[in-house]
Amino acid sequence: MFRTTDRQKTLGSLELLLSPRKIDRLERKHWAGRFRRKALPILIEAERTFAPLFCPDNGRPNKPVAATVGLLILKEMFDLTDEAALDQFEFNAAYQYALDVEPDDAHVCQKTLHNFRARMSEAEEQGTLTYSALFDRIVQAIVEDLGLRTDRQRLDSTHIRSNMAVLTRLQLFTHQITAFLRKLSKQHPRLAAKLPGGLRSRYLDREGYFADAPSSKSRRRLQQCAADLWRLVDRFKGHRSVSGMPSYLRLKRLLEEQCVVEEDAPTDPDGDGPDGVPVRPKEPKTERIPADSLQGSDEDATYGHKGKGYQAQVAETCHADNPTQVVTHVSIEGAHASDQHATIEVIEALSDAGCKPETLLADTNYGRGRNIVEAADHGVDLLSPACGPQARGEGDGMRLEDFEFSADGRCLERCPAGHEPIEQGVVGGEAIVDGEGPQEGNPCEEDDGADAGGAGVSDHRRHFARISIEHCAGCDRAECCLAKWREGDDFVTIRWRPAAGATAARRRRERTASFKEAYRVRSGVEATNSEYKRGYGGGRLRVRGRATVKRVVRFKFMALNIARWLKAGSRAGAAARKAARQAA
């Protein structure tokens, strides 16, 4: 049953048990006093956010939510295990003072902590925000308390590995088959006894590890594993009980992702050799293995260019006037996900949280033309180098970037010779005269050759601009110009897509000194990623599974933000005391 924290003090509170001198030291010089003053009121205020996790009118009253959530934050702040965090909570007066808990009440069993976290993860997956809402509340509190400016922010991704073994392909096959056979032997020993003896001996009754094959024999061993995998999947695919076992479903998934099943009929389906079954392992160099394929013990982990696991999209403030910077957004995605698809999602999330930036700095992968245009639609200047290879020129090397476009790529300002268009608009729509901006619309990709009809937010049509032919008569680049002339017209016409125009404008802009000066602070987000991994154990987590990883990463960044908040407050307090002493 849910109940809020009881604020009634008793004779057992630390304010009475500790001496005034000790209390003064905790308040002035220790993190516990600053945590109690700054962070704890936010946790108490947010307690009702967690009410859906408990029955409203039945059962034993819950442990105080503020203390439990605060303990989880301190656990991540000091990178502790559950056992160490619970021990500190029960016997460390600093933890008890920070969370405003009396020593006799400072006890939480590990099962209670586990159940609370599991309920939070389950609620988040079902759409009920608990710790995500708390993360946003803490960010808003820090921004208001320190007067931080959020109009300039930076964005980057960092790789995260869960508590999973990094397996070779052969190890992946053998571990999954072994896990299935062990489960089968426990739950259905008669079925396991009927399996071919060679198959059982390779994975259960063996010395050493089957995956320790030398490189000269690994291909033959991999073919043997593929054959064993097919035989097991085929043997139990219609079994009422076995076909629903999680370990069997992983075998089936592994077969679909890593092997090619031929249409030939098997000649030895009940054998135990590498031949006689219509299956072979895929050739990674020529046949596609999905990036989100099974990677081992963590079924949600994927494979990307940074390795196996997950990646976090991290946005933080980066204004020079801020006394410290705060992480405003954290989201988790597979390691295979491209940064190009995260830009607009992050901007929308920041807007929903009430801290949308005016300028967002990001690296090249975020800066494709479509993202620049859509960010401009949200009122955000996406400051990043242009994404993709530079377009090839025609003739003497004229490129689209030789033309001057508006930042959102929708309007042509000048041709390479410096002449403004006499008319421009949207292909298939109304013309816009005298340099006025064309109608609003979402751009399509630069390589999307189809012109879509209709206007508004789903507009995918090209834009056009017309330049008087009089300006082209004496131009020495007329023969290689991208603007085309049609017989009988007194103008030349150039067509482009807004995404391509935005990319061209960005390539011109990124060569300027002002862009380089403004962009230099983007690299500071790398220090935040390093702080998160080195100081808070974020590079290699103690948990696995997407929902759990998402929760742990959010709590670690909550701890990082609060630690920065407390340090900034400590510096401000020290500066105030120094100024007071000098004035005296």
Side-chain angles (χ1 to χ4, degrees), residues 236-432:
F236 298 106
K237 65 181 179 181
H239 196 278
R240 181 177 57 184
S241 177
V242 177
S243 60
M245 293 170 56
S247 56
Y248 175 83
L249 295 177
R250 286 194 291 270
L251 287 188
K252 187 177 179 181
R253 176 183 172 185
L254 185 64
L255 180 67
E256 294 172 352
E257 295 171 343
Q258 296 280 353
C259 300
V260 175
V261 180
E262 309 289 354
E263 297 182 357
D264 301 336
T267 59
D268 189 18
D270 296 325
D272 60 1
D275 302 320
V277 291
V279 64
R280 62 174 177 82
K282 288 183 178 179
E283 291 289 344
K285 294 183 179 180
T286 58
E287 295 173 308
R288 180 179 177 273
I289 298 176
D292 57 350
S293 60
L294 185 66
Q295 300 298 324
S297 53
D298 191 342
E299 297 185 31
D300 297 330
T302 64
Y303 181 83
H305 69 280
K306 295 181 180 179
K308 299 179 181 181
Y310 305 83
Q311 70 178 13
Q313 297 290 342
V314 181
E316 71 168 349
T317 59
C318 60
H319 202 284
D321 295 339
N322 291 342
T324 189
Q325 309 302 340
V326 61
V327 175
T328 55
H329 172 83
V330 180
S331 57
I332 299 298
E333 57 191 12
H336 69 291
S338 173
D339 291 338
Q340 293 184 2
H341 305 296
T343 311
I344 305 304
E345 294 179 1
V346 171
I347 291 176
E348 292 175 347
L350 290 172
S351 179
D352 294 340
C355 52
K356 185 181 74 173
E358 297 177 4
T359 302
L360 181 64
L361 292 85
D363 63 21
T364 305
N365 290 333
Y366 297 89
R368 64 172 179 171
R370 181 169 187 170
N371 288 341
I372 297 174
V373 178
E374 293 189 0
D377 291 342
H378 286 80
V380 177
D381 179 19
L382 179 59
L383 201 64
S384 69
C387 182
Q390 193 172 20
R392 294 184 179 181
E394 298 183 9
D396 64 347
M398 181 176 288
R399 301 179 178 88
L400 192 63
E401 64 187 73
D402 294 329
F403 293 78
E404 294 185 31
F405 292 91
S406 60
D408 61 3
R410 291 193 173 100
C411 199
L412 177 66
E413 298 177 349
R414 295 176 188 82
C415 74
H419 302 295
E420 297 181 359
I422 58 174
E423 182 182 4
Q424 57 183 310
V426 181
V427 175
E430 297 181 359
I432 310 298

Side-chain angles (χ1 to χ4, degrees), residues 196-211:
L199 191 149
R200 295 197 310 271
S201 64
R202 279 192 292 272
Y203 300 97
L204 297 178
D205 306 324
R206 57 186 172 88
E207 295 181 0
Y209 293 91
F210 185 48

Side-chain angles (χ1 to χ4, degrees), residues 71-82:
L71 176 60
L72 291 174
I73 292 176
L74 294 178
K75 171 182 178 295
E76 303 301 343
M77 184 180 293
F78 297 103
D79 191 23
L80 303 176
T81 62
D82 280 0

Side-chain angles (χ1 to χ4, degrees), residues 2-7 35 39-48 50 54 62-74 89 95 98-101 116 134 555:
F2 176 75
R3 68 173 182 181
T4 57
T5 299
D6 184 6
R7 307 300 295 161
F35 187 97
L40 185 60
I42 307 301
L43 303 182
I44 294 175
E45 180 183 339
E47 279 189 321
R48 292 203 174 273
F50 297 85
F54 305 94
N62 59 282
K63 285 286 186 179
V65 172
T68 306
V69 174
L71 176 60
L72 291 174
I73 292 176
L74 294 178
F89 180 60
Y95 278 67
L99 300 176
D100 195 13
V101 177
F116 181 75
L134 177 62
F555 268 95

